[in-house]
Structures are given as structure tokens and as C-alpha cells.
């Protein structure tokens, strides 16, 4: 913006020619000009309006969860109370489903990280004949909708007698995040100089040793991204456990909140808000911590941008 | 770095490799097959298996219960002809396209890109507040987002509060305009992703290009239209592709908010698939819908891979 002031060294030769040809044309567009100020005001007004609309549903949760007489509007609580939290913080409604969520998403995240590091290593380091098609297939698979294969997966689970098995559900969740995990891990390992490993090989280390002692420690941030990504995705996943798990004791919080407060459930707004808060809090905290620790790389844009 | 071997022909054996990666022979087949095995096993069993099974079942009359559950028969293209003749399927396809265009293309892309553009060069505090709120909506789990929007769109809910404030009559959104309701919710939930990718893309556009255009007398809109958007084309294409893949498979949000109703008025393809296969037990039909969904998504995914192709895979 400052380039419009005369005499700035940043101006290219073409730019000065153009200004010279039409003196005065660009001057009103300086940052202090009324049109720019007006444009800036409009921009802030639009941003404020959008932010308020985005904020309203979120505000409702915060207010209704501590409001003694919660309504459907996002109004500040008339009387502060914690009874909604007390009401939902019981083993049956909250603790068991949360623990099931921890088991499912933790298991899926650990499996995904371990399996994708193992798979990404040879894909990054060796010249394998089938590597190219495999990587393309993997990238292709990241785009395939998991929703679309859920019906066949359900039938498979029925036929293999795996329905209501937490282990199999965890493995399926891990498998569905593997294409993305391996792809990310492979790109991450590509960034670690192979010279380090060559030095280790010269010193007599095997591939396995160099993977374990050298690559894994260096790849820790990449593993964290894959793990956190899987964790957040599976924590919020509703459809997979909704179809594959049946007994109420196994249901994670995602399904439990729907069966308790869903369309035909009781209309307890305070309890719904309190439950939503507690259930969402872990992912929000993990997201904040991860974006702090890993910087903008984690904000998905970096991971997926073309 | 490893890019030194990009030009090396694949599968070349022997020690003449210029530098970089060792050949697979070092340590034998086990050295690459062993670490790859768990990944291949999981993906074959849980990913490739079901897809192949989908293709097979969509040619049979398999069902969840009854005679056809035990011995499904090959019915050829019957499921497909039935599918295309079925008004329910056509309706669902139309609803899916409207949902995709409304929430994915118009909503998320226009709003996401608009927000990214407006946030450029704003005060850091303003940037932080706006992106925290928008990203907050994105981080919330899908079920919670659905339930929140049910509350927000109720007759006594927040949106009608805004309407009253503006002097308009309240609307029973989930009943009168179910598709519009789920589109709104999906825009709310998904805009952050587009906004973040576009912000990242915008930050890579060198500022001297914009400054040069401004010096030449271009207005803000002209700069955006003639300089920024053309340079952002690749980011827009890939983001649009990912958003499309995301949007065609949205199930949870719609299921929680309207369960496809009232009637069939918000039954998109994933909802139709679920209802037919699991509620009505017609696996063959439901799987054929799934296959249709897979084919559409597969085409988009292939286009996405093609777009990324030049530099990403080595």
C-alpha cells in the first residue's frame, strides 16, 4: 500500500511509467483516502456481522449450560447454576461413553500412527517398482467417502460376526484414516535427509535400527500431526460407531449424545448444552494445543493445500 | 534432499545409483514388505474389500434378512435400472446436487474466500477474533453441530430471534425449509476449512504484484479479479475438490437435524443409502446407491489426484 507514495524504492520501472503517464490518478487511492477508509469500515462491518452469526449457536451452548431456566435463545443466564453439569456427569450418561470414546479414538490414533510410519518408511526410502501406483491409489483413497462404504462394511461385519466388536471398529476407524496418514507421513519422511541414515548404516545399523533410533525421533512432529488428526476425526465420528456398535455399554459419547438428546429425545436444553460442552472440550483443547505447538502447519490448510 | 532421485528410473538394480535411496535389495524383500504389511492388510480388508463387495452386491438381490440374505442371486443390471427409474433416487440426487451447490460451492467457497480476502491486512486482533469464532464452529464435533443447529433453528430459536429483531415473521425452518436449514448448518460448520486454505493461498501471492496493479490505477475489486483470483486458481480448484468430496458424503449433520425429513425433503444420497439398506433391509438397493456415490466421488477424487500430480508424488 505504501508503494503509492512517490519515491519509494519498491516501485518497479513499469509502475513509475504508468504513474508518470497519468499523474494524479493513483493519488486518491492512498491509504488515508476517504474511499479506502470507507472500504475498510465496510469490511469490518461485514466481518462483524458474519462473526456474530457464527457466534450465536456457540454462545447458546455457553449460556444455556449454566442457565437455571435455559431457553432456546442465546440469552445470558438469569440465574447461574451448575445443575445441568451435575445432571449429566453420571457414569451411565457421561463417563462410560467418554471412556468408550477414549478407547475408540485413542486406539485408532495409535494404530494409525504406528502403521503409517512403518508403511511410509519404505515408501519414502526405497525405490520400489509399485510405489508410484500405490501412492496414487493412496491419494485417491483419501478422497473416497467413508460414508459410501459403510453399508458394505456393515454387511461384512454382520457376516464375519464382528458387529458390536470394539476391536474391529477401532481397526476400521484406523484403516479409514490410513491413506491420509501414510500420505502425510511419507511426505514428512521425505523431508528428513537420507544422509543421516546413511551415516548410521556406515556405522553398521540395520534399516530397522535406523528407523527405530533415528527416523522415528526425527519424525515425531509428523507422527503427532497424524495422531492428533486421527484422534480429532474419530472423536467426532458418529456414523461408524452408530452402525457398528450396538450394546449401550460400548457406545461412545458421539452416539450417546444423539440417543439422549436427538430428534425425538427429551428436550432438556440445559443438559444438552452441558453435555455438548464436555464432549467437545477435549477436541477443542487438543486443537488449540496442537495449533500452538505445531504452528500454522497443523491448521489443515497446510496439510491438504494443493 | 531426496529429490535427487526423482529422475532415476524406477526398479533399477545395482550400485550405480547416483545418491540417495538404497535399493529394495538391501536386506531383501522383507525389509520393505514387513513394514508395509500391516497397512496393506488393514486397507485391503477394511477398504478395498468393502468396495469390491459393493460392486458385486449391486448386481445381486442381497438382503439383510429373509431368503435373499442367505442366498443372494445375480440379478444383472436390475438394481441399476430400478435405481434410475426410481423417483426417490432422482429426488435424492437432485437434493444432493442442491446441497452440494448451496453449501459446498456457493456457501463455503464464496464465504470462505470472501472472509479470507476481507481478513487480509486487517488488524491482528480482528483477524484473531474472526478466525477463532469461525474455526470454533469447525472444531465442534458434527453431532454437536447438528444438535446446536436444531436448537438454533427451532421456532423459538436464535435465528427467529434475529428475524424478530429485524421485524420479520418467524419461520419453522426445519419444517418449512429443511434443505435450506441443513445447507446453512453445513456452511457454518465447513467454512473454516475453505477460509484457512484460501488464507494460506493468499499469503503466498507476492504483494508487489498487487501494489503494481494499484499503482497502475486498479481498484480493489479489479486487483482481486485480475490479479488475486487468477493466481489463486490452483488453490481454489483443489479446495473446491476437497469440499465437494466432503459435502457429497455428509450424513451425520443431516441425520441429526432432519433425519432426511420431513417426508423425503432432505434425503440426500447418503441418507437414502442408509434408509434403504439398514432401515428397510434392502442391501442390494442401498449398496447400489452407495456405488453411485462412490463413482461420483471417485471421479472427483481422480481429478484431484490429477491436479496434484506434477510435483507431489515422487
Amino acid at each position: 500500500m505504501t508503494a503509492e507514495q512517490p519515491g519509494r524504492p519498491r516501485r518497479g520501472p513499469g509502475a513509475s511509467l504508468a504513474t508518470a503517464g497519468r499523474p494524479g490518478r493513483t493519488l486518491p487511492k492512498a491509504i488515508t483516502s476517504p474511499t479506502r477508509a470507507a472500504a475498510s469500515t465496510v469490511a469490518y462491518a461485514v466481518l462483524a456481522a458474519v462473526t456474530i452469526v457464527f457466534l450465536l449457536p456457540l454462545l447458546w451452548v455457553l449460556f444455556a449450560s449454566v442457565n437455571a431456566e435455559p431457553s432456546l435463545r442465546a440469552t445470558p443466564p438469569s440465574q447461574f447454576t451448575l445443575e445441568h453439569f451435575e445432571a449429566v456427569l453420571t457414569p451411565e450418561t457421561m463417563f462410560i461413553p467418554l471412556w468408550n470414546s477414549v478407547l475408540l479414538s485413542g486406539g485408532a490414533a495409535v494404530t494409525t500412527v504406528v502403521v503409517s510410519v512403518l508403511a511410509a518408511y519404505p515408501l519414502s526410502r526405497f525405490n520400489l517398482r509399485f510405489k508410484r501406483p500405490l501412492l496414487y491409489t493412496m491419494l485417491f483413497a483419501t478422497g473416497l467417502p467413508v460414508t459410501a462404504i459403510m453399508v458394505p462394511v456393515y454387511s461384512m461385519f454382520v457376516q464375519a460376526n464382528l458387529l458390536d466388536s470394539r476391536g474391529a471398529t477401532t481397526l476400521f476407524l484406523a484403516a479409514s484414516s490410513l491413506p491420509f496418514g501414510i500420505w502425510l507421513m511419507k511426505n514428512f519422511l521425505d523431508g528428513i535427509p537420507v544422509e543421516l541414515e546413511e551415516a548410521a548404516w556406515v556405522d553398521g545399523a540395520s534399516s530397522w535400527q535406523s528407523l527405530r533410533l533415528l527416523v522415528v525421533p526425527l519424525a515425531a512432529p509428523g507422527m503427532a500431526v497424524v495422531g492428533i488428526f486421527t484422534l480429532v476425526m474419530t472423536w467426532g465420528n458418529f456414523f461408524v460407531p452408530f452402525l457398528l456398535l450396538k450394546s449401550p455399554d460400548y457406545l461412545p459419547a458421539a452416539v450417546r449424545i444423539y440417543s439422549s438428546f436427538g430428534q425425538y429425545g427429551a428436550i432438556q436444553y440445559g443438559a444438552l448444552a452441558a453435555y455438548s460442552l464436555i464432549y467437545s472440550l477435549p477436541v477443542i483443547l487438543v486443537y488449540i494445543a496442537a495449533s500452538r505447538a505445531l504452528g500454522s502447519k497443523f491448521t489443515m490448510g497446510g496439510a491438504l493445500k494443493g | 534432499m531426496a529429490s535427487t532421485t526423482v529422475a532415476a528410473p524406477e526398479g533399477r538394480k545395482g550400485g550405480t545409483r547416483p545418491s540417495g535411496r538404497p535399493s529394495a535389495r538391501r536386506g531383501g524383500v522383507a525389509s520393505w514388505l514387513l513394514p508395509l504389511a500391516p497397512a496393506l492388510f488393514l486397507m485391503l480388508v477394511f477398504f478395498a474389500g468393502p468396495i469390491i463387495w459393493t460392486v458385486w452386491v449391486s448386481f445381486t438381490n442381497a438382503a439383510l434378512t429373509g431368503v435373499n440374505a442367505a442366498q443372494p442371486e445375480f440379478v444383472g443390471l436390475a438394481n441399476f435400472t430400478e435405481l434410475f427409474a426410481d423417483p426417490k433416487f432422482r429426488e435424492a440426487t437432485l437434493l444432493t446436487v442442491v446441497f452440494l451447490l448451496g453449501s459446498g460451492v456457493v456457501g463455503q467457497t464464496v464465504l470462505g474466500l470472501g472472509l479470507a480476502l476481507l481478513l487480509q491486512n486487517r488488524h491482528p486482533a480482528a483477524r484473531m477474533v474472526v478466525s477463532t469464532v469461525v474455526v470454533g464452529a469447525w472444531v465442534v464435533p458434527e453431532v454437536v453441530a447438528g444438535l446446536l443447529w436444531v436448537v438454533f433453528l427451532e421456532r423459538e430459536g436464535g435465528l427467529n430471534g434475529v428475524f424478530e429483531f429485524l421485524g420479520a415473521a418467524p419461520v419453522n425452518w426445519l419444517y418449512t425449509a429443511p434443505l435450506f436449514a441443513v445447507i446453512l448448518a453445513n456452511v457454518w460448520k465447513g467454512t473454516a476449512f475453505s477460509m484457512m486454505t484460501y488464507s494460506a493461498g493468499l499469503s503466498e501471492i507476492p504483494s508487489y504484484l498487487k501494489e503494481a496493479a494499484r499503482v497502475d490505477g486498479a481498484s480493489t475489486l479489479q486487483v482481486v479479479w485480475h490479479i488475486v483470483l487468477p493466481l489463486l486458481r490452483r488453490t481454489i480448484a483443489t479446495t473446491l475438490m476437497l469440499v465437494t468430496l466432503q459435502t457429497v458424503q455428509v450424513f451425520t449433520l443431516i441425520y441429526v437435524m432432519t433425519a432426511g425429513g420431513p417426508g423425503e425433503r432432505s434425503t440426500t444420497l447418503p441418507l437414502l443409502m442408509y434408509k434403504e439398506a439398514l432401515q428397510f433391509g434392502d442391501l442390494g438397493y442401498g449398496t447400489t446407491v452407495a456405488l453411485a456415490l462412490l463413482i461420483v466421488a471417485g471421479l472427483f477424487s481422480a481429478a484431484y489426484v490429477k491436479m496434484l500430480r506434477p510435483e507431489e508424488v515422487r
Side-chain angles (χ1 to χ4, degrees):
Chain A
M1 268 165 283
T2 45
E4 281 146 39
Q5 289 156 19
R8 294 292 292 212
R10 267 200 277 167
R11 282 164 76 199
S16 19
L17 268 180
T19 357
R22 287 175 287 170
R25 249 222 66 201
T26 55
L27 280 179
K29 302 227 185 276
I31 193 157
T32 48
S33 80
T35 43
R36 296 266 343 215
S40 172
T41 315
V42 170
Y44 276 115
V46 172
L47 285 176
V50 171
T51 308
I52 289 170
V53 173
F54 268 80
L55 193 61
L56 276 179
L58 294 173
L59 265 188
W60 177 82
V61 196
L62 291 180
F63 288 155
S65 68
V66 292
N67 194 342
E69 289 161 356
S71 73
L72 288 163
R73 295 275 162 87
T75 44
S78 47
Q79 209 184 340
F80 182 84
T81 176
L82 287 175
E83 65 183 34
H84 305 309
F85 286 97
E86 268 171 51
V88 294
L89 280 175
T90 60
E92 198 204 342
T93 359
M94 184 58 85
F95 298 123
I96 294 174
L98 275 186
W99 174 241
N100 290 336
S101 289
V102 169
L103 283 183
L104 273 186
S105 30
V110 170
T111 314
T112 308
V113 169
V114 172
V115 172
S116 51
V117 171
L118 285 175
Y121 183 72
L123 289 176
S124 166
R125 293 299 191 250
F126 297 152
N127 276 316
L128 304 169
R129 195 169 301 175
F130 56 84
K131 189 169 87 177
R132 209 170 271 262
L134 192 67
L135 279 171
Y136 278 132
T137 313
M138 215 88 84
L139 187 60
F140 177 72
T142 57
L144 289 182
V146 176
T147 308
I149 61 165
M150 278 323 286
V151 170
V153 166
Y154 178 81
S155 320
M156 193 178 87
F157 270 58
V158 172
Q159 265 156 28
N161 216 0
L162 288 171
L163 212 60
D164 210 23
S165 149
R166 285 196 277 193
T169 309
T170 309
L171 282 183
F172 173 73
L173 285 167
S176 62
S177 37
L178 265 182
F180 182 73
I182 295 175
W183 178 255
L184 208 71
M185 243 8 262
K186 191 250 167 199
N187 281 345
F188 197 88
L189 290 185
D190 282 349
I192 298 174
V194 76
E195 285 75 15
L196 292 175
E197 284 155 72
E198 284 171 344
W201 292 329
V202 169
D203 290 347
S206 68
S207 286
W208 176 245
Q209 278 174 319
S210 69
L211 172 66
R212 194 162 51 90
L213 300 172
L214 195 79
V215 178
V216 167
L218 283 173
M223 291 163 67
V225 173
V226 172
I228 289 167
F229 185 81
T230 314
L231 203 65
V232 171
M233 288 324 254
T234 34
W235 186 267
N237 197 319
F238 165 82
F239 198 32
V240 173
F242 179 63
L243 285 191
L244 300 184
L245 296 175
K246 291 296 155 201
S247 34
D249 291 349
Y250 291 168
L251 293 181
V255 181
R256 185 62 215 225
I257 189 175
Y258 175 75
S259 51
S260 301
F261 305 102
Q263 228 190 357
Y264 307 107
I267 306 170
Q268 310 153 286
Y269 299 119
L272 165 62
Y275 202 111
S276 302
L277 264 186
I278 299 173
Y279 164 54
S280 310
L281 207 59
V283 255
I284 295 173
L285 291 180
V286 163
Y287 182 83
I288 293 172
S291 51
R292 285 270 161 81
L294 300 161
S296 56
K297 275 213 171 61
F298 180 69
T299 50
M300 282 279 292
L304 286 179
K305 187 167 57 71
Chain B
M1 251 187 246
S3 56
T4 41
T5 49
V6 168
E10 301 252 331
R12 215 167 90 192
K13 297 267 152 72
T16 51
R17 202 168 301 282
S19 79
R21 303 165 198 196
S23 79
R25 260 164 50 176
R26 191 182 186 278
V29 173
S31 73
W32 58 265
L33 189 60
L34 218 57
L36 265 176
L40 291 177
F41 171 77
L42 280 178
M43 284 191 295
L44 283 178
V45 169
F46 289 112
F47 230 83
I51 291 175
I52 295 164
W53 200 83
T54 307
V55 177
W56 161 245
V57 165
S58 54
F59 291 101
T60 70
N61 62 354
L64 269 183
T65 48
V67 192
N68 294 339
Q71 283 166 321
E73 281 168 33
F74 186 77
V75 293
L77 291 171
N79 281 321
F80 290 95
T81 43
E82 191 196 342
L83 195 69
F84 291 123
D86 187 355
K88 263 189 306 185
F89 177 72
R90 282 193 230 146
E91 181 83 352
T93 310
L94 186 69
L95 287 173
T96 311
V97 170
V98 174
F99 180 70
L100 172 66
L101 290 178
S103 74
V105 179
V106 177
Q108 288 177 27
T109 303
V110 173
L111 191 61
L113 185 57
L115 281 175
L117 283 169
L118 283 178
L119 280 176
Q120 269 192 309
N121 309 323
R122 296 285 158 243
H123 194 271
R127 286 178 67 103
M128 212 196 74
V129 170
V130 177
S131 49
T132 304
V133 171
V134 176
V135 172
W138 181 67
V139 175
V140 165
E142 213 177 346
V143 203
V144 174
L147 291 170
L148 288 191
W149 272 81
V150 170
V151 169
F152 189 57
L153 295 177
E154 284 280 347
R155 185 168 267 285
E156 297 299 314
L159 191 61
N160 280 335
V162 177
F163 263 57
E164 265 171 41
F165 179 74
L166 297 173
V171 180
N172 193 351
W173 296 100
L174 288 170
Y175 200 81
T176 3
L179 193 65
F180 181 68
V182 293
I183 286 176
L184 273 188
N186 197 42
V187 170
W188 181 80
K189 174 108 180 77
T191 298
F193 175 72
S194 306
M195 187 189 81
M196 288 189 289
T197 47
Y198 292 136
S199 283
L202 283 175
S203 68
E204 279 164 20
I205 295 177
S207 59
Y208 64 82
L209 288 175
K210 288 179 269 183
E211 284 162 11
R214 294 208 74 95
V215 169
D216 284 352
S219 69
T220 310
L221 282 183
Q222 282 173 320
V223 172
V224 168
W225 187 253
H226 291 292
I227 310 283
V228 174
L229 287 187
L231 286 171
L232 213 57
R233 213 178 40 209
R234 231 176 96 84
T235 311
I236 294 178
T238 46
T239 309
L240 209 54
M241 208 56 81
L242 289 171
V243 166
T244 303
L245 287 167
Q246 258 315 307
T247 311
V248 290
Q249 65 157 324
V250 170
F251 172 85
T252 305
L253 195 69
I254 305 179
Y255 185 73
V256 169
M257 285 179 69
T258 65
E264 309 274 310
R265 284 195 292 143
S266 58
T267 303
T268 56
L269 287 174
L271 272 286
L272 182 70
M273 174 198 84
Y274 169 77
K275 281 188 191 171
E276 290 295 331
L278 295 164
Q279 285 185 339
F280 307 138
D282 191 347
L283 270 189
Y285 186 97
T287 313
T288 317
V289 177
L291 187 64
L293 205 59
L294 266 181
I295 290 171
V296 173
L299 289 177
F300 275 102
S301 192
Y304 173 65
V305 172
K306 212 171 159 65
M307 264 193 267
L308 282 184
R309 194 172 187 137
E311 56 264 357
E312 299 282 331
V313 175
R314 11 171 224 257

